[in-house]
Amino acid sequence: HPVSILEPAKFSIFYYQKIGEVHLTDLKFVTLTPIDLTISMQNAALASALATSISDSFSTNKETSEDEAELHSISAREARRIARLDSELDRVEDIDGPMTPSEHSTDVSVHVGQQIEQMRKLTRLKMTSPEVILTLTNDFQGLDEALFKVIAMNWVFGGELDYPGASASEKPCFGFNMNTSFLADYFDTASNRWEKFLTSPWEITLNGSRGPQSRFHS
């Protein structure tokens, strides 16, 4: 039978990008209704097994590629032949003459791409939600039995990443802030109802930043 993990929710995403002296990217995520997420023990075990399987497949592919590289190692004679062919191709390209207009246009596009990479990039992210509910249930015994739930109220997050560009010697600067209040309840099987685990909300505020370097270089 189908299992509902996430209750229907309304949210809005705003994306804005502007390229000028600064490459500005602005992203906002706002939920208009509470987010109710239910995770069972079987779902958590399945997610853990999938993550382990994916991780093992990547490591297996890496070992296979390394083995193939060892099997396909070229001899010294083949390496000299490849080097000789490469030098012949360079000589033919020198005889052919200047680049065609299409080659010029490709070179210009590459130059513009390099300018964008060297441009200062500023990325801003804002996320707000009135309420987020995470419920954990035990379904190992054939029936869904609620264990506990954690409620985050009035969750607000804001962050900014300032990347000076590839040509600048300074390191990226960032700043973020997060504020929310937590409540927790547990399910009492004796009374068959939710009981408070935290008698009052726990308010948590996190702030972090990294500014530009103020030390002088000799």
Side-chain angles (χ1 to χ4, degrees):
H1 63 281
V3 178
S4 177
I5 298 178
L6 180 64
E7 294 294 330
K10 295 181 180 180
F11 61 89
S12 298
I13 299 177
F14 304 92
Y15 178 79
Y16 173 77
Q17 187 177 29
K18 180 180 179 182
I19 300 178
E21 295 182 357
V22 179
H23 188 176
L24 176 63
T25 303
D26 198 350
L27 180 63
K28 297 180 180 179
F29 179 81
V30 180
T31 60
L32 307 178
T33 57
I35 298 177
D36 194 350
L37 179 63
T38 302
I39 299 178
S40 66
M41 300 294 289
Q42 288 188 4
N43 291 336
L46 178 60
S48 177
L50 289 174
T52 303
S53 177
I54 294 173
S55 177
D56 293 342
S57 65
F58 279 116
S59 60
T60 303
N61 292 335
K62 184 178 180 181
E63 294 175 357
T64 304
S65 62
E66 291 177 354
D67 295 338
E68 291 178 352
E70 293 178 357
L71 291 174
H72 292 84
S73 59
I74 61 176
S75 62
R77 181 180 178 183
E78 292 175 341
R80 288 194 298 269
R81 182 181 178 186
I82 293 174
R84 185 167 61 254
L85 291 174
D86 184 62
S87 61
E88 290 292 334
L89 288 174
D90 291 340
R91 185 175 62 81
V92 171
E93 289 179 356
D94 294 338
I95 295 174
D96 288 342
M99 294 186 300
T100 61
S102 61
E103 291 174 338
H104 279 292
S105 60
T106 304
D107 184 63
V108 170
S109 63
V110 172
H111 181 65
V112 172
Q114 292 176 352
Q115 287 183 344
I116 294 178
E117 290 181 357
Q118 296 177 357
M119 186 182 301
R120 177 190 171 195
K121 299 181 179 65
L122 183 61
T123 304
R124 297 172 180 170
L125 176 63
K126 294 181 180 179
M127 303 174 66
T128 60
S129 178
E131 188 177 73
V132 179
I133 304 173
L134 176 62
T135 305
L136 182 65
T137 61
N138 180 16
D139 56 351
F140 280 133
Q141 299 177 354
L143 53 91
D144 294 335
E145 181 181 5
L147 297 178
F148 66 89
K149 64 180 177 180
V150 179
I151 306 170
M153 301 179 297
N154 300 324
W155 186 68
V156 180
F157 174 83
E160 180 177 294
L161 176 62
D162 189 354
Y163 186 75
S167 61
S169 60
E170 297 182 359
K171 296 182 179 180
C173 302
F174 65 87
F176 70 90
N177 60 82
M178 190 270 291
N179 180 265
T180 186
S181 297
F182 283 103
L183 277 176
D185 298 336
Y186 69 95
F187 190 77
D188 188 2
T189 56
S191 61
N192 199 25
R193 65 180 183 181
W194 289 99
E195 300 290 346
K196 289 186 177 296
F197 184 75
L198 297 178
T199 57
S200 61
W202 282 10
E203 183 175 356
I204 297 178
T205 301
L206 298 177
N207 294 288
S209 63
R210 177 182 181 179
Q213 296 180 354
S214 59
R215 294 181 299 178
F216 294 97
H217 298 279
S218 58

